[in-house]
Amino acid sequence: MTNVVSPNQIAAGLTEHWSPRVVAELDDSFVKVAKVLGSLTWHSHDKEDELFYVLKGSLTIEMEDRTVVLHEGEAFVVPKGVRHNPVAVEECHIMLIERKSTLHTGTEVTTKTRSLADQLRPV
């Protein structure tokens, strides 16, 4: 993408929860935004780290050995292979940076799982 993007504006305009949208590409990674509410699902990404950055609200990332709470303007990297479950008690807007090979919910498939084609839809 060669245009200026506003992750905050794009996330605010989304109508679905837990449906990330690609807003930029960076080498072998995608930059995505999502509007989230409730719990996603326990999953892991065996070969990819995943960066969460909170644009608005707060996000809890549950992991088997600890829980991290992120507030607006904070970021956290879930290391590859770590089972995690993102949870937002109130609606939260997030930005994600992850490799293009990263599956939305790893090998777990739920009704909230989105394909790469879904994530690449125009916003």
Side-chain angles (χ1 to χ4, degrees), residues 59-77:
L59 180 73
T60 299
I61 302 175
E62 300 173 334
M63 294 169 279
E64 292 175 336
D65 66 338
R66 66 181 171 143
T67 297
V68 173
V69 178
L70 301 174
H71 300 282
E72 193 169 312
E74 295 180 329
F76 180 77
V77 175

Side-chain angles (χ1 to χ4, degrees), residues 44-71:
S44 65
H45 308 285
D46 293 336
K47 298 179 181 173
E48 302 99 357
D49 295 332
E50 183 175 26
L51 182 138
F52 288 83
Y53 179 86
V54 176
L55 299 167
K56 178 182 173 188
S58 64
L59 180 73
T60 299
I61 302 175
E62 300 173 334
M63 294 169 279
E64 292 175 336
D65 66 338
R66 66 181 171 143
T67 297
V68 173
V69 178
L70 301 174
H71 300 282

Side-chain angles (χ1 to χ4, degrees), residues 3 14 19 23 37 40 45 50 54 60 68 72 74 88 101-102:
N3 295 325
L14 296 176
S19 187
V23 298
L37 178 64
L40 180 58
H45 308 285
E50 183 175 26
V54 176
T60 299
V68 173
E72 193 169 312
E74 295 180 329
S101 60
T102 305

